[in-house]
Amino acid sequence: MFSRETYVSRRSELKRLVGNGIIVLFGNNESPANYPSNGYYPFRQDSSFLYYFGLKREGLVGVIDIDNDRETLIGNDIDIEDIVWFGSVDSVSDMAASTGVANTAPMATLAEICNKAREKGQKIHFLPPYRFDTKIQIHDLLGIHPSLQKEAASAELIKAVVKMRSVKEQQEIDEIERACAIGYKMHTTAMRLTRPGVTEKFVGGQVDGTANSYGAMVSFPTIFTQHGEIMHGNPSMSVLEDGRLALCDAGAETINNYCSDNTRTYPVNGKFTQRQLEIYSIVEACHDYVLGVAKPGVRWFDVHMAVCRLMTERLKDTGLMKGDTEEAVRAGAHAMFLPHGLGHMMGMDVHDMEGLGQGFVGFDEETRPSTQFGTNCLRMGRRLEEGFVLTDEPGIYFIPALIDDWKARGLHRDFINYDMLETYKDFGGIRIEDDILITADGCRFLEKERIPYHPADVEDFMRNN
């Protein structure tokens, strides 16, 4: 937890932004892995509940009555049988006091609180639920069917939460940098272990264990694969092969639940081929271009599109693309090679606040999501503000099924050299990803120790470690 005053201040600002009614913030319950008493470990609290209350115990709900300026922590104290198995824990009233909440009540009273609010005509604000037990609870409390709850969630509350969580406090930035420091250890562990004959599973397991050994958890399931063209290629039992590229996309989540997210791509044998270097240098240039242009007031959508144009120009130099760059990008031909967005918001969630809705988090009335293939996967497009934390993650991928599909349909033949592209079907994919903070006049890396990514640095690290 941060200081008691942090949570008091955050809830005060939340009340000001929402204006009236009752805010109900649901914490998470234990999630069974395969039977009720065998839950996933470690327990992960809901991020917005954490942001405003800072409490990690399961089975809690925070109620903020704006109209009556009353805050209540709802939850049941554990009994002696639980204490036998899990040890003594703070009472609900002790937890409430630690986060500056004056009132507590057992879970059975939540229905009464909601019923009284509705009788008085107060609006009950809740965020879009993502766990089925919470959806059932909302149905029991408010009579809203789970299939309708996303639409029924409070736009006022969503906008307030997004406004507050998007701009990171200094203590949050410090915590993300702690996650990045663990992420550095995770990625350099993978680089040291990568060699022909080792399995993807072995390297991926060591990456996860590194996060755990520093009191953290992974911020998402680790991606480690020779098939870098698969966006979410989790480690398999495949043996790493000489001459192939390995892609590692991994991040840490600290015990205070702030995340890092980095990707590195490197040769299994530690030495890039000329062909690999040719494609890698394009991704490297796109990655570094962002560092020079991302700043407050600039639309992230425009940065993404500028990267697409740069990538197209460089791919034309290789012969893989052709024609007018502007027309190619406008038509979406670049998405053959970059079928995802340039980056996403990051914080307590590795894709920060994504569950609140893309239209609220990454876009606004000025900038709306695209429906074009590839660009429709850009999760963030709105103007940057000081204090935003984002990922910078361009990539180039050679996806055999996508190549076959577009070629068969005759798509973008004026911009893509399909004959040459056929020879790259066994290449894989390359992505370079770092976490950046938008500053007053630009941006900076959040990693104090830089995971090697320039080709000479990668080869030097793998040779000497």
Side-chain angles (χ1 to χ4, degrees):
M1 289 181 68
F2 295 131
S3 69
R4 176 182 181 275
E5 291 70 28
T6 291
Y7 303 104
V8 171
S9 174
R10 287 175 177 176
R11 292 193 301 271
S12 176
E13 178 64 6
L14 183 66
K15 285 184 278 190
R16 187 188 72 80
L17 290 172
V18 176
N20 57 69
I22 286 186
I23 298 169
V24 181
L25 289 174
F26 293 88
N28 284 336
N29 299 309
E30 285 282 11
S31 181
N34 54 350
Y35 57 91
S37 62
N38 190 33
Y40 283 101
Y41 177 83
F43 168 72
R44 180 51 159 92
Q45 185 60 279
D46 174 78
S47 293
S48 289
F49 182 88
L50 269 176
Y51 186 82
Y52 292 104
F53 290 91
L55 301 169
K56 297 185 179 181
R57 210 202 80 178
E58 74 284 355
L60 299 174
V61 178
V63 177
I64 303 172
D65 186 338
I66 302 171
D67 302 328
N68 297 293
D69 195 23
R70 181 181 175 87
E71 300 175 351
T72 306
L73 182 65
I74 307 290
N76 298 327
D77 287 321
I78 68 170
D79 58 26
I80 191 63
E81 290 191 12
D82 287 326
I83 291 173
V84 168
W85 287 99
F86 300 109
S88 296
V89 298
D90 290 339
S91 66
V92 174
S93 60
D94 286 342
M95 288 189 290
S98 72
T99 194
V101 175
N103 307 288
T104 63
M107 190 60 68
T109 65
L110 184 57
E112 180 183 347
I113 290 171
C114 290
N115 288 337
K116 285 183 177 179
R118 287 194 292 179
E119 288 172 3
K120 294 177 181 178
Q122 290 180 288
K123 179 169 182 177
I124 299 177
H125 302 273
F126 63 89
L127 296 173
Y130 54 90
R131 288 196 173 186
F132 292 107
D133 52 344
T134 305
K135 292 181 178 182
I136 293 169
Q137 190 174 13
I138 291 172
H139 180 264
D140 291 344
L141 290 169
L142 305 178
I144 304 171
H145 191 275
S147 65
L148 303 175
Q149 289 172 10
K150 183 177 180 180
E151 290 72 24
S154 167
E156 299 96 325
L157 179 57
I158 293 171
K159 290 176 181 178
V161 171
V162 169
K163 181 178 179 63
M164 293 182 66
R165 285 182 57 189
S166 292
V167 178
K168 303 300 186 286
E169 303 161 353
Q170 185 58 51
Q171 61 188 345
E172 294 180 282
I173 295 167
D174 293 343
E175 197 65 29
I176 294 171
E177 291 195 310
R178 291 187 189 99
C180 290
I182 299 171
Y184 172 87
K185 297 179 187 298
M186 295 165 69
H187 278 274
T188 51
T189 294
M191 294 176 74
R192 282 195 299 270
L193 294 173
T194 295
R195 63 178 62 89
V198 176
T199 66
E200 294 176 359
K201 274 284 189 184
F202 178 79
V203 178
Q206 298 297 311
V207 169
D208 291 355
T210 300
N212 294 338
S213 69
Y214 286 94
M217 56 189 281
V218 293
S219 54
F220 57 95
T222 294
I223 297 166
F224 184 85
T225 178
Q226 294 175 106
H227 286 281
E229 78 278 7
I230 300 173
M231 299 299 114
H232 290 168
N234 298 124
S236 72
M237 288 303 296
S238 296
V239 174
L240 299 180
E241 300 173 11
D242 189 30
R244 299 287 297 274
L245 291 169
L247 185 150
C248 183
D249 188 343
E253 181 174 321
T254 69
I255 55 175
N256 284 322
N257 301 106
Y258 283 83
C259 300
S260 69
D261 182 5
N262 298 90
T263 306
R264 292 294 185 266
T265 310
Y266 33 82
V268 169
N269 63 14
K271 182 71 175 175
F272 288 103
T273 67
Q274 187 57 41
R275 188 189 199 205
Q276 290 167 349
L277 270 177
E278 190 174 52
I279 301 301
Y280 190 97
S281 67
I282 301 174
V283 180
E284 178 189 18
C286 292
H287 169 277
D288 290 354
Y289 170 83
V290 174
L291 299 172
V293 299
K295 60 182 179 181
V298 171
R299 289 199 314 165
W300 189 247
F301 182 88
D302 295 333
V303 179
H304 170 84
M305 298 312 297
V307 163
C308 295
R309 288 190 291 272
L310 173 59
M311 183 177 292
T312 299
E313 279 290 321
R314 295 288 297 270
L315 285 169
K316 283 166 58 178
D317 293 340
T318 69
L320 283 163
M321 292 192 74
K322 58 186 177 179
D324 183 79
T325 296
E326 290 293 336
E327 289 183 13
V329 171
R330 193 179 306 115
H334 66 280
M336 166 62 76
F337 305 94
L338 179 61
H340 64 72
L342 179 62
H344 51 80
M345 299 280 271
M346 201 182 72
M348 297 185 83
D349 308 313
V350 70
H351 286 191
D352 211 22
M353 301 173 285
E354 196 163 288
L356 301 183
Q358 184 187 52
F360 291 108
V361 178
F363 295 87
D364 53 22
E365 292 182 4
E366 178 191 18
T367 307
R368 303 305 301 158
S370 171
T371 58
Q372 186 183 67
F373 176 81
T375 311
N376 63 349
C377 292
L378 179 63
R379 292 180 168 94
M380 163 69 184
R382 64 191 176 108
R383 293 190 185 276
L384 301 173
E385 297 179 31
E386 183 179 358
F388 281 14
V389 173
L390 303 96
T391 60
D392 166 19
E393 51 176 309
I396 292 178
Y397 313 90
F398 298 91
I399 306 169
L402 185 63
I403 295 169
D404 291 344
D405 178 66
W406 281 26
K407 184 177 180 181
R409 291 194 285 150
L411 295 180
H412 305 306
R413 288 191 175 276
D414 291 340
F415 307 116
I416 296 173
N417 183 346
Y418 281 104
D419 289 340
M420 187 175 183
L421 190 54
E422 283 286 334
T423 68
Y424 279 78
K425 280 186 172 179
D426 63 349
F427 187 95
I430 294 171
R431 180 165 64 253
I432 305 172
E433 176 182 16
D434 282 298
D435 307 326
I436 60 172
L437 169 70
I438 304 302
T439 61
D441 56 0
C443 69
R444 69 169 177 87
F445 282 126
L446 277 164
E447 307 97 48
K448 292 180 179 177
E449 287 186 283
R450 191 68 29 76
I451 307 163
Y453 76 91
H454 295 304
D457 296 336
V458 170
E459 292 182 346
D460 181 68
F461 184 91
M462 295 185 75
R463 182 172 54 252
N464 295 311
N465 291 276

